[in-house]
């Protein structure tokens, strides 16, 4: 436990450092001086090419070029009027007569383009001239170094786009190269560090998966690593370290699809006990299948990448809606983990929806905030995983204790049961002698008590699973209630049985073992009311199972003692063995259920047992008995 506490403290400390660093870097970020170029002219179509293969820039007596009258003033930067069937657009402007130390042009363009200064090619992005296949390069912000002597020159930009969008996302800007690189690193360093944080968190989660074999940690690792890569790919600074747009673009798409599929699988694994999880099981398969077909088709040029991305964004909307509805249903049932995940999912969905709607319809170029929603979602998932891991660790410790008790019980039973048989036989012979009858019953009672303790210890040591059959739970409870009602006590005990179900409630269970649990709980409740009182047994049907409540008006249990009641040999009774509740917990867990206790001193105790309608083990095929009858499963 200490090792896991240290692991969690390190993770929380690292998350805090990242958040503080994020705020510090964002506050310290400075924007380099920029000069927007707002006066542009445009022309649809290619320039004529001379006999020497060069572009004919201007129309004159000796060359056939584009006359100045053909250039139209551009009132906007994207999707200029008069496109028709053209996929080639020319833009031009006059550079200002301002001297820069290292002049550069900051530009974002759909899709591929060339930049000319004074009729000389200075930059090319993507394949502009090949009409057969033009792979989409994405629209990252590009930095084009300009010649030192460019003041007052003419800037030409040739754009090719096979998509519905063609042009510039905004007016290009002139700035100094070194100043821009410095300010860009300051602005995007926080997002880059955030992406690295996701990746490190994903790698750290593989350690508990390796130790505990908990599948949610593996899914969280895939989710965090994928979205870490996605966050990094959405920065511009990566192009200064490896300038290959297609590599980063495809890596961004793969990480997005893989991250969404991993997130869906993680939610399924966190709440797999719910029957309403079935629609979610199809979603991650749809994401992976769509991603495989979409990316392969886009790579070979059969589908335009932006078209496929548009439909995938629609799939994201559907996924977010289904996930929120599913988590809302679980939250309405007071599932604390589902409430925490729902909070992170809603924040991430809102932030992601703003980014998607802006890119699909509005085109306002709003700064991306989806990575901030992702940060909150990651933190919520980490909280839930920590809660799940502590629960699993406690169960492992409890199982280890039961294993030790079982080994001890086997040895004790082997060594003591044989002598007890001899003592019991001799006591029965002595009981026939008149002068020994006063002491013999007391000795027999103590021998029987030792035998009961040994039987309980042997039960804890059993490894054989229960035999599941389809039984009417109502009949099992009624038989136990009738048993206690028939017993006479010194003080009046009233047992009330409340059942909201008129029809039989069939569940997969081992009826004899469940009867043992109900007997033990009712006996404890009656013993807690030495002066008499009311005992209520209620059966409540739930969507995924059934809940049985036992409520007494007894002396209650101290709050500090509640966590230890399931431990072997812990008891609050003067003559108790401390094994009854330990056995009850084991039986309920073997049925895939939960046993919880709530108590107030001098007010009473409530024991709640939740059981699934279907067993967690593989059901047998063929005919199975139902309360002594047979029915087809």
């Amino acid at each position: 436990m200490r090792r896991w506490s240290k692991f969690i403290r390190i993770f929380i400390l690292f998350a805090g450092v990242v958040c503080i660093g994020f705020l510090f870097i964002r506050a310290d970020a400075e924007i380099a001086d920029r000069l927007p170029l707002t006066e542009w002219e445009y022309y649809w179509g290619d320039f004529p090419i001379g006999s020497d293969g060069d572009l004919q820039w201007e129309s004159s007596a000796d060359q056939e070029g584009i006359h100045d009258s053909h250039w139209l003033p551009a009132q906007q930067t994207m999707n200029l009027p008069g496109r028709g069937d053209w996929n080639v657009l020319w833009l031009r402007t006059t550079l200002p007569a301002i001297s820069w130390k290292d002049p550069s042009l900051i530009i974002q363009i759909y899709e591929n383009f060339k930049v000319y200064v004074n009729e000389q090619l200075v930059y090319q992005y993507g394949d502009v001239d090949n009409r057969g296949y033009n792979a989409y390069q994405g629209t990252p912000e590009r930095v084009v170094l300009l010649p030192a002597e460019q003041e007052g020159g003419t800037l030409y930009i040739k754009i090719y786009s096979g998509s519905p969008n063609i042009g510039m996302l905004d007016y290009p800007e002139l700035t100094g190269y070194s100043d821009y690189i410095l300010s860009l690193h300051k602005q995007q360093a926080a997002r880059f560090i955030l992406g690295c944080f996701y990746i490190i968190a994903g790698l750290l989660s593989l350690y508990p998966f390796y130790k505990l074999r908990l599948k949610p940690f593996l899914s969280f690792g895939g989710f965090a690593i994928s979205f870490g890569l996605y966050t990094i790919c959405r920065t511009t600074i990566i192009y200064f370290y490896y300038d290959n747009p297609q590599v980063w673009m495809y890596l961004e798409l793969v990480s997005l699809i893989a991250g969404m599929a991993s997130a869906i699988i993680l939610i399924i694994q966190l709440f797999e006990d719910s029957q309403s999880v079935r629609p979610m099981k199809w979603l991650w398969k749809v994401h992976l299948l769509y991603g495989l077909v979409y990316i392969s088709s886009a790579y070979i040029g059969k589908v335009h990448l932006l078209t496929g991305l548009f439909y995938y964004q629609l799939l994201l909307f559907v996924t977010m809606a289904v996930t929120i509805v599913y988590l809302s249903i679980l939250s309405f049932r007071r599932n604390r983990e589902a409430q925490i995940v729902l909070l992170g999912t809603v924040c991430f969905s809102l932030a992601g929806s703003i980014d998607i709607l802006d890119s699909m319809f509005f085109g306002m170029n709003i700064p991306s905030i989806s990575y901030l929603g992702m940060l909150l979602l990651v933190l919520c998932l980490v909280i839930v995983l920590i809660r799940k891991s502590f629960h699993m660790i406690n169960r492992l410790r409890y199982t280890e204790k039961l294993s030790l008790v079982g080994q001890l019980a086997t040895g004790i039973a082997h060594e003591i049961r044989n002598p007890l048989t001899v003592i019991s036989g001799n006591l029965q012979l002595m009981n026939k002698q008149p002068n020994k009858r006063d002491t013999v019953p007391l000795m027999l009672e103590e021998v029987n008590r030792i035998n009961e303790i040994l039987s309980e210890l042997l039960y804890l040591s059993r490894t054989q699973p229960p035999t599941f059959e389809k039984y009417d739970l109502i009949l099992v409870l009624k038989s136990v209630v009738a048993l206690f009602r028939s017993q006479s006590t010194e003080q009046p005990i009233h047992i009330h049985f409340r059942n909201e179900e008129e029809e039989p409630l069939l569940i997969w269970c081992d009826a004899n073992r469940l009867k043992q649990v109900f007997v033990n709980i009712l006996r404890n409740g009656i013993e807690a009311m030495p002066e008499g009182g009311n005992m209520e047994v209620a059966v409540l049907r739930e969507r995924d199972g059934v809940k049985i409540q036992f409520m007494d008006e007894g002396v209650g249990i101290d709050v500090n003692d509640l966590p230890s009641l399931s431990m072997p040999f812990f008891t609050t009774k003067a003559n108790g063995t401390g094994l009854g509740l330990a056995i009850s917990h084991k039986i309920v867990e073997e049925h895939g259920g939960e046993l919880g206790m709530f108590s107030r001193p001098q007010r009473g105790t409530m024991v709640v047992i939740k059981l699934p309608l279907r067993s967690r083990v593989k059901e047998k095929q063929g005919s199975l008995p139902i309360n002594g009858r047979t029915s087809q499963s």
Side-chain angles (χ1 to χ4, degrees):
M1 183 65 69
R2 292 180 179 177
R3 179 175 55 185
W4 287 107
S5 300
K6 184 178 180 181
F7 169 80
I8 293 169
R9 285 197 299 269
I10 292 175
F11 180 85
I12 294 176
L13 178 62
F14 180 63
V17 171
V18 169
C19 293
I20 294 174
F22 176 82
L23 296 175
F24 175 77
I25 294 174
R26 293 291 297 177
D28 190 55
E30 297 178 356
I31 300 176
D33 293 333
R34 300 183 183 182
L35 177 63
L37 301 178
T38 58
E39 301 294 332
W40 289 87
E41 296 177 313
Y42 72 96
Y43 171 79
W44 288 106
D46 275 329
F47 273 16
I49 299 178
S51 57
D52 55 358
D54 295 334
L55 293 174
Q56 304 295 297
W57 294 97
E58 303 293 343
S59 177
S60 60
D62 57 345
Q63 64 181 11
E64 183 185 356
I66 305 301
H67 196 271
D68 287 342
S69 61
H70 293 167
W71 289 90
L72 302 175
Q75 304 298 329
Q76 59 195 59
T77 60
M78 180 67 66
N79 299 328
L80 296 161
R83 176 175 182 177
D85 296 331
W86 291 107
N87 288 334
V88 176
L89 172 67
W90 280 87
L91 296 167
R92 77 174 183 179
T93 190
T94 302
L95 294 171
I98 299 177
S99 177
W100 297 81
K101 178 182 179 182
D102 46 0
S104 59
L105 181 71
I106 306 172
I107 192 168
Q108 279 184 282
I109 289 183
Y110 273 97
E111 302 172 359
N112 307 324
F113 62 95
K114 288 182 177 181
V115 178
Y116 298 86
V117 176
N118 296 330
E119 304 178 1
Q120 299 295 322
L121 178 66
V122 297
Y123 184 81
Q124 177 171 339
Y125 178 70
D127 191 355
V128 180
D129 299 320
N130 181 9
R131 297 293 181 268
Y133 168 57
N134 280 270
Y136 177 72
Q137 299 285 318
T139 56
E141 194 174 66
R142 313 300 296 172
V143 182
V144 179
L145 283 171
L146 301 178
E149 302 296 332
Q150 45 79 32
E151 298 87 351
T154 303
L155 174 68
Y156 290 90
I157 300 178
K158 180 183 179 181
I159 305 174
Y160 176 85
S161 174
S163 70
N165 294 318
I166 184 171
M168 302 180 293
L169 271 71
D170 201 353
Y171 287 115
E173 297 174 318
L174 282 176
T175 186
Y177 183 80
S178 56
D179 294 337
Y180 171 73
I181 297 300
L182 180 60
S183 65
L184 185 66
H185 277 71
K186 287 185 176 181
Q187 291 175 23
Q188 299 189 355
R191 194 185 305 182
F192 188 87
I193 293 174
L194 204 58
C196 295
F197 166 70
Y198 294 154
I199 294 175
I200 295 174
L203 293 175
L204 288 175
S205 68
L206 299 180
Y207 177 75
F209 166 74
Y210 173 75
K211 288 294 183 182
L212 299 177
R213 295 300 177 186
L214 291 175
K215 292 182 180 179
F217 282 96
L218 179 61
S219 302
F220 176 80
F223 160 75
I225 293 173
S226 297
F227 273 98
L229 292 173
Y230 174 77
T231 303
I232 292 174
C233 290
R234 288 180 62 84
T235 62
T236 306
I237 57 179
I238 57 175
Y239 291 95
F240 296 102
Y241 302 105
Y242 184 63
D243 192 4
N244 192 321
Q246 281 195 322
V247 169
W248 297 117
M249 177 187 61
Y250 280 109
L251 180 59
E252 178 182 341
L253 288 174
V254 171
S255 58
L256 173 62
I257 296 172
M260 287 302 301
S262 300
I264 298 171
I265 295 174
L266 174 59
I267 293 176
I268 292 173
Q269 292 172 345
L270 288 176
F271 310 106
E272 60 184 353
D273 291 342
S274 171
Q275 291 183 353
S276 55
V277 78
R278 293 178 181 176
M280 300 289 294
K281 293 182 178 179
W282 288 98
L283 275 179
W284 71 271
K285 298 177 182 178
V286 171
H287 276 264
L288 290 183
L289 180 61
Y290 184 91
L292 179 63
V293 175
Y294 161 47
I295 293 178
S296 355
S297 303
Y299 184 76
I300 62 177
K302 296 297 183 182
V303 175
H304 196 279
L305 203 143
L306 286 180
T307 303
L309 181 60
F310 176 84
Y311 290 108
Y312 185 71
Q313 289 172 336
L314 295 180
L315 177 61
L316 287 178
F317 275 116
V318 175
T319 302
M320 289 187 290
V322 172
T323 304
I324 290 175
V325 170
Y326 168 67
L327 292 174
S328 299
I329 294 173
L330 295 181
S331 300
F332 182 74
R333 299 174 188 167
R334 299 181 180 180
N335 188 316
R336 184 60 58 84
E337 284 80 8
Q339 293 171 354
I340 296 173
V341 177
L342 177 62
L343 172 65
T345 303
V346 169
C347 294
F348 171 67
S349 299
L350 290 176
S353 298
I354 293 174
D355 290 349
I356 293 174
L357 291 173
D358 180 57
S359 64
M360 291 174 64
F361 303 109
F362 303 135
M364 299 174 61
N365 200 23
I366 300 175
S368 177
I369 58 174
S370 58
Y371 60 92
L372 294 178
M374 174 60 59
L375 176 60
L376 182 58
L377 176 58
V378 168
L379 294 179
C380 289
L381 289 173
V382 168
I383 292 173
V384 172
L385 287 174
I386 290 174
R387 288 170 60 96
K388 291 281 186 180
S389 62
F390 274 128
H391 178 67
M392 178 58 67
I393 291 171
N394 290 333
R395 290 188 63 181
L396 289 175
R397 294 176 63 186
Y398 175 69
T399 304
E400 290 177 358
K401 288 187 176 181
L402 288 183
S403 177
L404 292 174
V405 171
Q407 296 176 13
L408 177 63
T410 303
I412 293 176
H414 179 74
E415 297 295 333
I416 296 180
R417 179 156 267 175
N418 290 334
L420 280 178
T421 303
V422 177
I423 294 173
S424 178
N426 284 277
L427 287 173
Q428 292 175 11
L429 293 175
M430 293 174 63
N431 192 33
K432 297 178 181 180
Q433 300 177 11
N435 59 340
K436 298 293 184 180
R437 288 182 179 179
D438 295 336
T439 58
V440 169
L442 180 61
M443 297 173 65
L444 282 173
E445 182 181 348
E446 293 300 316
V447 169
N448 291 331
R449 184 170 181 271
I450 294 174
N451 198 45
E452 289 177 2
I453 295 174
L454 291 176
S455 299
E456 291 178 340
L457 286 170
L458 284 174
Y459 185 88
L460 286 176
S461 66
R462 290 177 183 172
T463 58
Q464 182 180 2
T467 303
F468 286 99
E469 296 177 345
K470 216 166 192 179
Y471 267 84
D472 185 358
L473 182 65
I474 304 300
L475 290 181
V476 177
L477 279 168
K478 284 184 176 180
S479 65
V480 176
V481 171
L483 174 65
F484 280 91
R485 282 176 176 171
S486 63
Q487 296 178 358
S488 61
T489 57
E490 295 181 359
Q491 300 297 333
I493 301 293
H494 304 284
I495 303 177
H496 307 280
F497 182 74
R498 180 164 57 89
N499 174 31
E500 297 180 352
E501 295 290 326
E502 297 181 358
E503 299 180 355
L505 185 56
L506 301 177
I507 68 169
W508 291 92
C509 65
D510 189 324
N512 290 327
R513 295 194 182 185
L514 283 184
K515 186 179 293 185
Q516 182 179 355
V517 174
F518 301 151
V519 167
N520 182 54
I521 294 174
L522 278 171
R523 182 187 294 117
N524 289 343
I526 292 173
E527 291 177 354
M529 297 184 290
E531 299 180 359
N534 295 311
M535 182 81 184
E536 181 178 344
V537 181
V539 180
L540 306 174
R541 178 70 178 269
E542 295 185 333
R543 181 180 179 87
D544 302 324
V546 60
K547 180 166 67 175
I548 308 113
Q549 295 179 343
F550 300 84
M551 292 167 283
D552 64 57
E553 298 176 347
V555 296
I557 304 170
D558 189 86
V559 177
N560 298 325
D561 293 335
L562 282 175
S564 304
L565 288 177
S566 61
M567 298 301 175
F569 302 114
F570 181 88
T571 181
T572 58
K573 301 178 184 178
N575 298 319
T577 62
L579 296 174
L581 282 177
I583 293 175
S584 299
H585 271 275
K586 180 180 180 182
I587 294 174
V588 173
E589 288 186 353
E590 287 174 342
H591 284 73
E594 298 178 357
L595 189 152
M597 300 186 68
F598 311 90
S599 182
R600 285 185 178 182
Q602 308 306 322
R603 297 287 298 274
T605 301
M606 180 174 68
V607 180
V608 179
I609 297 177
K610 294 182 179 181
L611 295 172
L613 294 178
R614 302 178 67 88
S615 65
R616 304 301 182 199
V617 299
K618 184 178 180 182
E619 297 174 5
K620 298 179 180 180
Q621 301 294 329
S623 299
L624 292 175
I626 301 181
N627 295 338
R629 302 184 299 273
T630 59
S631 173
Q632 295 298 322
S633 62

